[in-house]
Amino acid sequence: MPLKPDLPLPEAEPQRVGYAIVGLGQLTVDELVPAVRTSEHAHVVAFVTSETEKGLALARAVGLGEDDVYTYDDFEQLTGRKDVDAVYIVLPNALHREYVERAAKIGKHVLCEKPLGMNADDARAMVEACNSAGVLLMTAYRCQYTPEHWAARDAVHSGKLGKVKLLDSIHVQVEDDPEAWRLKKELAGGGPLVDVGIYCVNTLRFVLGQEPQWVFAALHQPDGDPALWKSRSR
């Protein structure tokens, strides 16, 4: 029986993106998993981890089974998972390039935590790997999707604030675990300027809609703190 012209057509069922999350650190456990359980746009379909018991516990928490938990050596088995639309890489910075390239080789789109790579050469190689494989690559910046940042951007672009001469951006992050990977240069890459300062640069680029013409950076590390000394000596 045909629908009457005055009756609204049923809305299409929203298609949620299926993610395999790689890495079960604090960000994944405390923020990503709880958030994705309420998302209308994404859901977790697999975990990749070296901590099998943690992976199984998280799998149970989101209604997944034992077969949805993979080790890093099993990563390529995601190839046959049609429900894995994308891989979300939540690993120390030094591992981003390896897993972006591995994901591209198996034909999965990639969402990668920031910073994208340890350096510009790594980032270019990752972009090229995904371009060659025909998959999307995205860095997990969020300010482009929050109404507060869009309001700031609109205020600048509309001229409401007049000619912008100065923007001041501050981001603070406390790391109280001396064994954290962020304090190990071989895993973090460049310390707080690279790992935390990028938030400020990314936000300013978005709000202004412009690219930096030149950059100056300074780093101060107080003496006497065992954690800072350990990261510096590495």
Side-chain angles (χ1 to χ4, degrees):
M1 179 179 177
L3 292 173
K4 294 181 180 180
D6 57 339
L7 291 179
L9 293 173
E11 293 185 5
E13 184 71 21
Q15 182 177 353
R16 296 195 297 167
V17 177
Y19 282 96
I21 297 184
V22 184
L24 302 185
Q26 184 178 4
L27 177 61
T28 297
V29 176
D30 293 348
E31 299 188 41
L32 300 181
V33 170
V36 82
R37 296 179 72 180
T38 64
S39 174
E40 297 179 359
H41 306 288
H43 63 135
V44 178
V45 296
F47 292 112
V48 182
T49 178
S50 61
E51 302 176 270
T52 304
E53 291 304 317
K54 181 188 285 190
L56 291 173
L58 281 176
R60 288 191 292 269
V62 296
L64 300 179
E66 293 184 7
D67 293 340
D68 299 315
V69 179
Y70 298 80
T71 67
Y72 294 123
D73 290 337
D74 295 334
F75 179 85
E76 278 67 25
Q77 292 183 17
L78 295 173
T79 306
R81 291 286 299 259
K82 300 300 182 183
D83 56 345
V84 176
D85 300 302
V87 172
Y88 189 174
I89 299 170
V90 196
L91 294 169
N93 303 339
L95 299 175
H96 288 182
R97 177 175 177 176
E98 175 188 348
Y99 280 88
V100 165
E101 292 178 339
R102 288 175 71 176
K105 285 182 180 178
I106 63 174
K108 301 298 182 183
H109 300 299
V110 186
L111 177 61
C112 183
E113 269 302 320
K114 53 210 151 319
L116 182 61
M118 294 279 277
N119 50 58
D121 288 340
D122 276 359
R124 292 189 187 99
M126 295 152 76
V127 171
E128 178 58 31
C130 290
N131 283 340
S132 298
V135 299
L136 299 175
L137 170 63
M138 180 177 177
T139 311
Y141 288 116
R142 63 179 178 270
C143 75
Q144 289 86 347
Y145 301 94
T146 56
E148 295 84 1
H149 289 95
W150 272 99
R153 178 186 170 95
D154 291 341
V156 169
H157 287 216
S158 67
K160 184 188 301 184
L161 301 179
K163 184 177 180 180
V164 177
K165 298 182 179 180
L166 175 67
L167 284 178
D168 188 13
S169 179
I170 299 174
H171 180 54
V172 177
Q173 182 169 317
V174 176
E175 183 56 78
D176 55 5
D177 178 6
E179 296 302 319
W181 65 263
R182 282 190 171 88
L183 300 181
K184 300 175 182 178
K185 187 175 181 180
E186 65 272 21
L187 292 177
L193 285 175
V194 171
D195 197 41
V196 179
I198 55 168
Y199 288 87
C200 300
V201 175
N202 177 60
T203 302
L204 295 177
R205 290 174 61 229
F206 173 69
V207 170
L208 290 174
Q210 301 176 12
E211 296 297 332
Q213 294 184 2
W214 58 272
V215 176
F216 170 79
L219 175 66
H220 172 64
Q221 287 186 294
D223 291 328
D225 188 315
L228 293 175
W229 176 256
K230 186 173 185 178
S231 68
R232 186 168 53 187
S233 64
R234 287 175 180 265

